């Protein structure tokens, strides 16, 4: 059974039809890519699925359960995780604290216990810190644990987004342009990381403009254009699709 | 955290040594009022500085505590402790009840809603003159519990100093706990916290209620300490004073709260001679510190010496 | 019965017109800069107090009014220059705090200079009430409502017919784009502050013969103006006018039928209701925050 099923999803902003009647399904354990020109509606699609926006029409199911219009924090409980194209980092905290926020749901968040410094709370927090440090090492930030997020480089922050999302141990992870702004070497590192994440059992939905990366690591690809589904299939299907070629080369289909 | 603990020890040492340096009851009184303000400001800073949610009506909660202690003991024969608890619970419940709609709002709307709340509370206090004495205020009996009665500036000093130390310790713990981390995170990025499972409204509501709870307790203590309450303690200007303390001392800074309270409690002493100038001074201080020291004194100085926070 | 209702509505519309003017002031500045100017109420206070002072010094009414409009306008510009401009790029909360600071300075200075007493001056054209369907309508009420109408029409003409007005509107929609097409957004902000201050002051001048004024009336009037702006939908001009009149009438009806002691609480209870059921107000624009 598909882990994520999206059917007939639409969203308009004033006059802009950002996403129109988009349907697709993602099988567990795969890397599923969503591509399309700038403004095609990829980020909007992510925002709809992860509960940031409410869809005008359409339905979303996670593991067979309807989750349309649930708030983001409820979706996080059900195992949805994501990163942001326009970085959403807590600049008032250190790098590792940002990652630890990702592990929020795994902790005892009781106010009184925290205020009175219960030993069990402290121990669990220390354990999360170790896990966060390991995740930071995994995304290549092992040497920046206690650096204030505000003083990190753009590339560092992009990696930090991934580490934070992983700290939440999601079932399905939405990555919005994780390699944007990276050089070819860094992009290759991210590609390996994404593949590893998928191989570890976390389903990945990926938006990325780097076609080399998309084609090499994706199991299936969805192409959006002007908010509409243009094509869907394996990398080979997509590369051969005349409509996709037309959209990307800018000629009339 | 280690630096925070050193700070706590330094504060404890100062509080222990201070009585030796204070020449007379007048100075004890000034320090006591500094401590009272510091405790309220600590709670308010959790809300404004750490969680990033403005409140322009916090004096309202202070007023609820103060008047609960005054009215319930005087008119209904409650024991001061019971009245204090009742006030704090009432303030927290009121905060819980109105917070969910309030915290769906941001920025201007939030400022306005909290301000409106404070104003409504002070209007009620002014109008229910049969119980509250109206604009003239009313006397409050001394604080007595378990057969003891706290009387005089010196006894109060130890009570308030102890409470201040506890509050600083509890705040430091809270900020460093999972709850506090989520609170700071939603300040840093609301969406980012949401997508990792932080129910942001819930956190805002909880911290709002907690800071209301503390404000009310301190309001009660302050009423007993002064022995008299007037509606001024619940009014907009008092809310602005508290806000100024947070901002001058430093948002999201525990010791900033204490320093801000100390400085701005001392200020009216220096200005009390001419009415009106106090208002002007607060206004100028707000503007100047917001423009030139937007992070506040303590964080700015800490950054200068190279201490993180 | 009906006469009494009408009486309450008249007085509600009269104060409501002042709220509407204050709300227009909020809207102007909000649209130009997304700043909520908490000092708006002090302009209302300044308008009334200054007229009192100038009349007492022997100036004729029209001159006194002109000065009482001009000086707050200058004060508005000064506040913008000295407090808003240096804080460029500060967050919403910081700007709110700064304008609260500015309002304290204005109020404190007036308190020192003018004292704490209440003051007033005679109504513009006498105080013989006009009977309307059994209710008494004060001539000053007509002045208030008439002036509001004139100001609204003038603003509408300004925004729809003049380049300067259109520039302000463009800045409200997209400041960056406005700057790119050559609009001086800095000047737009200054003009907005001046206009907002003068409009607020006009409300204060018109209302003073009915309600009196003192150094501390600004907070309440300003806050109610803000409530009116929010009720109407923050950023909407027509919304500000409707919101103001609505707040005034509801307040007057509460004072008349429920409790006059609690009339000041009405707008603040109203704002909870409005924000809860329609967070965008009556006519506010609908937007989705970008992520
Ligand atoms: N909150 C919003 N309000 C109004 N319009 C929006 C909003 N979010 C997105 N849009 C519009 O929806 C359309 C799709 O935008 P979206 O960000 O989803 O594109 P995208 O495919 O992610 O593009 P890119 O590759 O540049 O990231 C655009 O026209 C955009 O301007
Ligand atoms: Mg995008």
């Amino acid at each position: 059974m598909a882990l994520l099923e999206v059917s007939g999803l639409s969203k308009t902003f004033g006059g802009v039809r950002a996403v129109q009647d988009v349907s697709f399904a993602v099988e567990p354990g795969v890397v599923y890519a969503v591509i399309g020109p700038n403004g095609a509606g990829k980020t909007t699609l992510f925002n709809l699925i992860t509960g940031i926006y409410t869809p005008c029409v359409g339905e979303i199911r996670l593991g067979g359960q309807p989750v349309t219009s649930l708030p983001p924090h409820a979706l996080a409980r059900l195992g949805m995780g994501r990163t942001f194209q326009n970085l959403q980092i807590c600049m008032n905290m250190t790098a590792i604290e940002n990652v630890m926020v990702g592990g929020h749901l795994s902790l005892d968040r009781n106010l009184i216990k925290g205020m009175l410094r219960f030993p069990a709370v402290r121990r669990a927090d220390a354990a999360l810190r170790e896990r966060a440090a390991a995740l930071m090492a995994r995304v290549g930030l092992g040497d920046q644990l206690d650096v204030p997020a505000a003083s990190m480089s753009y590339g560092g922050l992009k990696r930090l987004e991934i580490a934070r999302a992983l700290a939440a141990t999601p079932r399905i992870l939405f990555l919005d342009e994780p390699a944007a702004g990276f050089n070819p070497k860094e992009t290759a590192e991210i590609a390996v990381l994404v593949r590893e994440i998928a191989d570890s059992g976390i389903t990945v939905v990926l938006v990325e403009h780097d076609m080399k990366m998309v084609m090499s690591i994706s199991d299936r690809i969805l192409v959006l254009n002007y908010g509409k589904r243009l094509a869907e299939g394996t990398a080979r299907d997509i590369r051969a699709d005349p409509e996709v070629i037309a959209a990307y080369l800018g000629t009339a289909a | 955290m280690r630096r925070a603990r050193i700070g706590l020890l330094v504060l404890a040492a100062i509080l222990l040594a201070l009585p030796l340096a204070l020449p007379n009851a007048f100075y004890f009184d000034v320090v006591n009022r500094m401590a009272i303000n510091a405790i309220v400001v600590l709670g308010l800073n959790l809300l404004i500085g750490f969680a990033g949610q403005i409140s322009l009506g916090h004096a309202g909660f202070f007023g609820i505590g103060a008047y609960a202690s005054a009215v319930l003991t005087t008119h209904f024969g409650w024991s001061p402790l019971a009245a204090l608890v009742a006030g704090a619970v009432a303030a927290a419940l009121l905060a819980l009840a109105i917070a969910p709609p309030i915290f769906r709002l941001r920025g201007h709307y939030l400022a306005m809603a909290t301000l409106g709340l404070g104003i409504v509370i002070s209007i009620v206090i002014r109008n229910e003159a049969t119980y509250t004495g109206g604009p003239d205020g009313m006397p409050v009996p001394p604080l007595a519990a378990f057969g003891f009665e706290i009387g005089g500036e010196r006894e109060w000093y130890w009570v308030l100093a102890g409470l201040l130390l506890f509050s600083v310790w509890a705040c430091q713990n809270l900020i460093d706990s999972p709850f506090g981390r989520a609170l700071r995170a939603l300040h840093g990025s609301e969406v980012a916290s949401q997508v990792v499972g932080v129910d942001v409204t819930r956190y805002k509501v909880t911290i709002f209620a907690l800071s209301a709870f503390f404000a009310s307790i301190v309001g009660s203590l302050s009423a007993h300490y002064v022995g008299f309450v007037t509606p001024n303690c619940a009014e907009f200007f008092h809310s602005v004073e508290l806000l100024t303390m947070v901002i001058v001392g430093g948002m999201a800074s525990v010791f900033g709260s204490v320093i801000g309270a100390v400085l701005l409690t001392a200020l009216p002493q220096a200005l009390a001679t001419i009415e009106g100038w106090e208002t002007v001074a607060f206004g100028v201080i707000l503007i100047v510190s917001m423009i030139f020291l937007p992070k506040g004194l303590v964080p700015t100085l800490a950054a200068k010496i190279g201490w993180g926070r | 019965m009906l006469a009494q209702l009408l009486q309450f509505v008249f007085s509600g519309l009269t104060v409501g017109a002042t709220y509407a003017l204050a709300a227009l002031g909020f809207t102007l500045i909000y649209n130009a800069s997304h700043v909520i100017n908490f000092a708006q109420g002090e302009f209302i206070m300044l308008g009334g107090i200054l007229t009192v002072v100038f009349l007492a010094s022997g100036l004729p009414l029209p001159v006194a009014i002109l000065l009482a409009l001009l000086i707050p306008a200058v004060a508005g510009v000064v506040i913008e220059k000295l407090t808003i401009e240096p804080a460029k790029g500060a967050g919403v909360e910081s700007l709110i705090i700064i304008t609260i600071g500015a309002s304290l300075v204005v109020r404190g200075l007036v308190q020192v200079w003018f004292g704490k007493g209440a003051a007033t001056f005679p109504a513009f054209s006498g105080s013989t009430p006009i009977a309307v369907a059994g209710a008494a309508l004060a001539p000053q009420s007509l002045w208030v409502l008439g002036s509001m109408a004139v100001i609204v029409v003038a603003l509408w003409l300004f925004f729809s017919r003049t380049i300067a007005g259109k520039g302000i509107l463009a800045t409200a929609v997209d400041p960056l784009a406005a700057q790119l097409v050559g609009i001086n957004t800095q000047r737009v902000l200054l003009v907005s502050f001046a206009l907002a201050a003068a409009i607020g002051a006009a409300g204060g001048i018109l209302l003073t013969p009915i309600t009196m004024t003192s150094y501390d009336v600004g907070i309440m009037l300003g806050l109610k103006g803000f409530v009116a702006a929010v009720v109407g939908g923050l950023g909407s001009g027509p919304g500000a006018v409707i919101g103001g009149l609505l707040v005034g009438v509801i307040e007057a009806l509460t004072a008349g039928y429920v409790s006059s002691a609690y009339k000041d609480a009405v707008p603040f209870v109203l704002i909870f209701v409005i924000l809860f059921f329609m967070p965008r107000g009556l006519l506010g624009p609908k937007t989705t925050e970008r992520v």
Side-chain angles (χ1 to χ4, degrees):
Chain A
M1 188 189 59
L3 177 59
L4 177 76
E5 293 161 90
V6 170
S7 49
L9 209 60
S10 296
K11 178 76 182 176
T12 50
F13 298 107
V16 181
R17 295 154 90 173
V19 170
Q20 294 181 57
D21 195 25
V22 169
S23 305
F24 64 98
V26 180
E27 299 298 324
V30 302
V31 173
Y32 190 97
V34 179
I35 63 170
N38 290 114
K42 305 177 296 290
T43 299
T44 305
L45 183 66
F46 272 24
N47 284 339
L48 289 170
I49 298 172
T50 56
I52 311 280
Y53 297 162
T54 27
C56 303
V57 214
E59 204 196 11
I60 303 157
R61 286 171 174 272
L62 184 68
Q65 183 189 350
V67 295
T68 324
S69 308
L70 283 186
H73 65 85
L75 292 167
R77 265 159 227 256
L78 297 175
M80 263 195 202
R82 73 170 284 180
T83 65
F84 294 89
Q85 178 183 358
N86 304 323
L87 299 169
Q88 290 288 343
I89 296 289
C90 304
M91 294 300 182
N92 54 340
M93 297 161 69
T94 63
I96 196 164
E97 281 178 324
N98 268 279
V99 180
M100 289 172 77
V101 172
H104 174 74
L105 288 177
S106 68
L107 294 176
D108 182 347
R109 282 116 35 207
N110 186 289
L111 167 73
I112 309 285
K113 288 186 193 168
M115 207 156 78
L116 299 181
R117 216 173 173 77
F118 274 37
V121 175
R122 300 303 310 163
R123 272 197 301 276
D125 212 50
L128 173 62
R129 199 184 154 84
E130 304 228 319
R131 195 158 67 80
L135 284 172
M136 286 183 67
R138 189 168 165 202
V139 299
L141 293 174
D143 56 344
Q144 303 192 34
L145 299 185
D146 290 306
V147 172
S151 64
M152 288 171 76
S153 68
Y154 174 79
L157 295 174
K158 290 228 86 141
R159 290 167 195 268
L160 195 60
E161 284 260 350
I162 300 176
R164 178 178 61 201
L166 287 175
T169 54
R171 285 160 82 192
I172 184 165
L173 176 58
F174 293 80
L175 299 173
D176 198 345
E177 305 202 11
F182 281 3
N183 66 31
K185 181 171 161 283
E186 293 166 324
T187 306
E189 284 169 20
I190 297 292
V192 171
L193 178 65
V194 172
R195 197 60 247 183
E196 276 174 16
I197 292 171
D199 293 343
S200 75
I202 299 172
T203 309
V204 174
V205 183
L206 170 74
V207 165
E208 187 48 63
H209 281 293
D210 187 301
M211 279 310 131
K212 195 162 147 259
M213 171 173 167
V214 170
M215 293 298 169
S216 66
I217 63 170
S218 309
D219 297 296
R220 285 191 84 79
I221 298 172
L222 168 71
V223 188
L224 292 183
N225 196 21
Y226 293 112
K228 286 202 198 109
R229 167 174 156 154
L230 194 64
E232 207 252 14
T234 62
R236 189 180 309 167
D237 300 341
I238 296 303
R239 247 187 303 227
D241 191 302
E243 282 201 72
V244 175
I245 296 166
Y248 268 84
L249 296 181
T251 52
Chain B
M1 203 61 205
R2 195 162 304 142
R3 273 173 201 154
R5 287 308 189 229
I6 294 173
L8 187 68
L9 286 177
V10 171
L11 179 66
I14 293 175
L15 288 173
L16 273 175
L18 207 53
L20 303 173
L22 295 176
N24 56 37
F26 172 79
Y27 285 94
F28 271 94
D29 177 56
V30 173
V31 174
N32 286 345
R33 281 187 291 115
M34 287 173 176
I36 286 174
N37 284 330
I39 301 168
V40 186
V41 171
L42 276 169
L44 188 59
N45 209 341
L46 286 178
L47 182 70
I48 298 182
F50 288 99
Q53 309 300 312
I54 198 166
S55 168
L56 296 180
H58 236 60
F61 296 119
F62 186 96
I64 288 182
Y67 274 89
S69 288
V71 173
L72 293 177
T73 52
T74 309
H75 294 291
F76 299 92
W78 288 39
S79 80
L81 218 49
L84 177 144
V85 172
V89 170
L93 286 180
L94 177 65
L96 282 179
I98 55 145
I102 285 189
F103 284 110
R104 288 199 316 197
L105 313 170
R106 277 191 227 166
H108 323 109
Y109 295 105
L110 181 60
M112 179 50 56
T114 50
L115 202 160
L117 174 70
I119 289 186
V120 172
I121 293 173
S122 67
I123 290 176
V124 172
I125 292 176
R126 276 182 189 278
N127 281 334
E128 297 306 317
T130 12
Y131 291 112
T132 63
D136 299 332
M138 66 184 288
V140 189
L143 180 60
F146 312 115
F148 293 101
E149 186 177 306
I150 308 172
E153 284 79 6
R154 278 160 212 269
E155 281 178 31
W156 271 101
Y157 174 83
W158 293 111
V159 173
L160 293 170
L163 207 63
L164 176 61
L165 267 186
F166 171 78
S167 307
V168 168
W169 177 76
C171 274
Q172 287 179 340
N173 291 343
L174 182 67
I175 291 153
D176 203 38
S177 75
F179 184 98
R181 193 182 311 118
L183 212 56
R184 286 182 288 142
L186 72 85
H187 185 188
S189 166
E190 214 160 280
V191 265
S193 342
Q194 283 174 320
V195 299
V196 293
V198 179
D199 182 348
V200 295
T201 307
R202 202 188 142 128
Y203 277 78
K204 292 177 188 174
V205 169
T206 311
I207 201 65
F208 186 56
L210 183 79
S211 65
F213 186 81
F214 276 122
S216 173
I217 290 182
V218 182
S220 289
L221 291 176
S222 157
H224 285 298
Y225 171 63
V226 178
F228 201 85
V229 281
T230 67
N232 287 342
C233 76
E235 246 146 57
F236 179 58
F237 189 67
H238 188 209
S239 293
V240 171
E241 281 178 321
L242 295 172
L243 180 72
T244 315
M245 292 175 189
V246 170
I247 286 162
V248 170
M251 294 213 233
S253 162
V254 170
F255 290 106
S257 309
V258 179
I259 301 287
V262 166
L263 289 181
L264 286 155
T265 312
L267 177 81
Q269 307 296 326
L271 293 166
T273 38
I274 318 160
E275 229 177 328
W277 287 113
E278 189 187 334
T279 318
V280 179
F282 267 94
V284 172
I285 289 172
L286 267 181
I287 297 172
V288 169
S289 51
M290 217 61 240
I291 294 175
F292 296 105
L293 268 183
K295 285 187 163 55
L297 273 176
V298 171
T300 309
L301 288 178
K304 276 244 162 70
I305 331 174
W307 279 27
R309 65 183 165 94
Chain C
M1 266 315 284
L2 200 65
Q4 196 185 32
L5 177 67
L6 201 60
Q7 190 71 59
F8 294 146
V9 171
F10 283 157
S11 70
L13 286 176
T14 308
V15 282
T18 326
Y19 302 159
L21 291 176
L24 280 172
F26 279 113
T27 306
L28 271 169
I29 292 179
Y30 178 77
N31 281 344
S33 63
H34 278 233
V35 173
I36 287 297
N37 175 23
F38 273 75
Q40 181 67 26
E42 308 310 321
F43 299 138
I44 308 180
M45 178 270 288
L46 275 181
I49 296 271
L50 289 173
T51 314
V52 169
V53 170
F54 289 131
L55 282 178
S57 73
L59 291 177
L61 185 64
V63 181
I65 289 178
L66 205 65
L67 286 173
L69 289 174
L70 220 60
I71 294 173
V74 173
V77 170
V78 170
I79 287 176
E80 201 282 333
K81 271 278 174 207
L82 290 187
T83 71
I84 305 293
E85 229 180 275
K88 257 216 148 61
V92 170
E93 278 78 15
S94 311
L95 291 170
I96 289 175
I97 292 164
I98 287 176
T99 59
I100 288 179
S103 80
L104 293 180
V105 172
V106 173
R107 187 184 322 148
L109 288 177
V110 170
Q111 187 185 347
V112 171
W113 168 67
F114 185 80
K116 280 180 133 179
T120 188
F121 51 85
F124 297 172
S125 34
S127 46
T128 321
I130 306 155
V132 182
L137 182 59
Q140 187 69 18
S141 291
L142 289 178
W143 273 105
V144 177
L145 288 165
S147 308
M148 184 198 72
V150 170
I151 290 171
V152 168
V153 170
L155 277 179
W156 178 71
L157 287 176
F158 174 68
F159 282 118
S160 60
R161 300 289 162 83
T162 68
I163 297 286
K166 285 180 181 166
I168 295 184
L169 282 185
T171 310
V173 175
D174 189 339
L176 191 62
Q179 214 162 8
L180 289 177
V181 299
I183 294 169
N184 182 344
T185 50
Q186 195 51 55
R187 207 168 63 217
V188 163
L189 202 52
L190 281 177
V191 171
S192 306
F193 264 86
L195 262 180
I199 293 171
I205 298 169
L206 291 159
L207 195 64
T208 296
I210 301 174
T211 60
M212 313 242 285
T213 189
S214 61
Y215 80 102
D216 61 351
V217 296
I219 316 180
M220 237 352 160
L221 288 171
L223 290 179
K224 289 176 180 175
F226 181 80
V227 171
V230 172
V231 168
L234 202 51
S236 155
V241 176
I242 296 172
L245 295 176
L246 202 65
V247 170
V249 170
I250 295 178
E251 188 184 303
L253 292 180
T254 312
Y257 291 116
V258 186
S259 150
S260 69
Y262 279 103
K263 80 173 172 44
D264 279 341
V266 168
F268 302 103
V269 176
L270 186 67
I271 200 168
F272 278 105
V273 177
I274 289 279
L275 288 177
F276 194 71
F277 289 106
M278 33 178 163
R280 278 181 295 275
L282 296 173
L283 301 178
K286 188 183 169 192
T287 55
T288 312
E289 218 165 302
R290 271 177 202 255
V291 175

